[in-house]
Amino acid sequence: MALEMFTGKTVNNAITCANFDKVRSVILSSSQQDFHCVYYLISDIQYLNTNGSLVLDMANPWNQAPATDSDFNPVRFVPPSRQQAILAFQVQSISVAGHVKNACPDGFTNHWCLYLQTSQNGAVQIDCQPSYSVPGTVIPGGSKAFFIVSELSYTLPQDVIKYVSLDVHPGLTVTNVVNLLMANGHHKYEFTPQGIGCRKWTTDQVNLLQQQQYAVNVTQCKDARQAILTLWPDGTHHDLDAGAYYQ
């Protein structure tokens, strides 16, 4: 299957991989549901005793999905044990980033999300990804999204093809940003049945950050919105995709 492009093999419903950052990068740039399954299991990684490689258990890739919609908590911290440390980071700037072009039902698109550049010489990614398992209540046939906050050891993954950097209010923390998005219900989002909707979600976050004056440069915010409306690297106009918030 497609996962072999970076893992080399699968064994007993598990995926072995020696390069964790490469896995994360490939997953974020992929439109394949298999990659989404791997992404949400990052917190379940275990080390092999034999060779130090990483194992992602794929036996039950949606074991975090609830039995009922009312039980669904979309917020995920990666890794979970680092939640408080992640939230405490100071934010130096915010990169609004689009990843390499992927096929979609209407042709091609780029996946967009936020990278909060931190004082730790790394970043915190805030990403919205379709669950494919929790049915939507607003978009027919759609699915509720995971709101994923991940600690990264680098500023941007290698598959980012376009980004716009936003200057931020001094003293801004990851907690400020996450709380703002959640207080406005932006962690409760639905994707289309095809998994489309990230560009609208990212645009909404840029608007909210500007309105709250967490992002302090109006021109940069405008540039970010325009970049999201462009297909990269083609440079052609790309209408904003569908997506919706639920209560």
Side-chain angles (χ1 to χ4, degrees):
M1 61 184 186
L3 292 169
E4 294 177 356
M5 73 168 63
F6 69 91
T7 62
K9 62 179 179 178
T10 60
V11 180
N12 296 329
N13 242 357
I15 301 166
T16 61
C17 180
N19 188 328
F20 178 42
D21 287 346
K22 185 177 180 182
V23 174
R24 184 192 296 271
S25 178
V26 171
I27 291 162
L28 292 178
S29 67
S30 173
S31 61
Q32 299 297 319
Q33 185 170 347
D34 291 311
F35 288 134
H36 290 298
C37 292
V38 178
Y39 183 80
Y40 299 126
L41 285 172
I42 287 175
S43 61
D44 297 330
I45 288 175
Q46 297 177 350
Y47 286 94
L48 288 176
N49 293 328
T50 54
N51 59 12
S53 297
L54 297 171
V55 173
L56 302 175
D57 180 12
M58 293 294 289
N60 184 12
W62 295 112
N63 58 6
Q64 295 189 68
T68 64
D69 290 350
S70 61
D71 296 330
F72 179 56
N73 176 13
V75 181
R76 296 286 185 269
F77 283 85
V78 181
S81 61
R82 292 280 295 168
Q83 176 174 341
Q84 295 306 314
I86 292 170
L87 290 171
F89 287 151
Q90 295 279 324
V91 179
Q92 306 298 320
S93 65
I94 298 175
S95 297
V96 183
H99 301 77
V100 292
K101 185 171 67 174
N102 290 303
C104 70
D106 296 328
F108 292 92
T109 190
N110 306 105
H111 177 68
W112 286 80
C113 62
L114 304 178
Y115 292 91
L116 280 55
Q117 308 303 326
T118 72
S119 56
Q120 307 302 310
N121 297 319
V124 171
Q125 180 196 39
I126 301 182
D127 193 15
C128 196
Q129 291 272 4
S131 67
Y132 293 111
S133 65
V134 183
T137 56
V138 179
I139 299 177
S143 68
K144 292 183 177 179
F146 284 101
F147 178 89
I148 309 164
V149 184
S150 305
E151 182 181 14
L152 306 180
S153 60
Y154 45 84
T155 56
L156 289 172
Q158 294 181 351
D159 69 330
V160 166
I161 193 169
K162 173 68 176 181
Y163 74 93
V164 177
S165 183
L166 307 181
D167 295 337
V168 300
H169 190 278
L172 188 69
T173 66
V174 175
T175 293
N176 296 145
V177 176
V178 170
N179 284 352
L180 174 67
L181 272 53
M182 292 180 62
N184 285 271
H186 288 195
H187 61 305
K188 296 182 177 181
Y189 192 71
E190 293 183 12
F191 282 78
T192 69
Q194 296 78 26
I196 302 298
C198 69
R199 293 188 303 119
K200 170 178 165 48
W201 183 85
T202 305
T203 298
D204 290 344
Q205 309 327 306
V206 172
N207 292 339
L208 185 58
L209 291 165
Q210 180 183 339
Q211 292 165 9
Q212 192 66 21
Q213 297 185 349
Y214 285 0
V216 297
N217 189 306
V218 174
T219 300
Q220 292 172 348
C221 293
K222 180 180 178 181
D223 290 345
R225 288 189 290 268
Q226 186 59 47
I228 295 171
L229 285 171
T230 304
L231 178 64
W232 301 96
D234 304 42
T236 56
H237 179 78
H238 192 25
D239 288 337
L240 208 58
D241 49 21
Y245 297 94
Y246 64 91
Q247 298 298 316

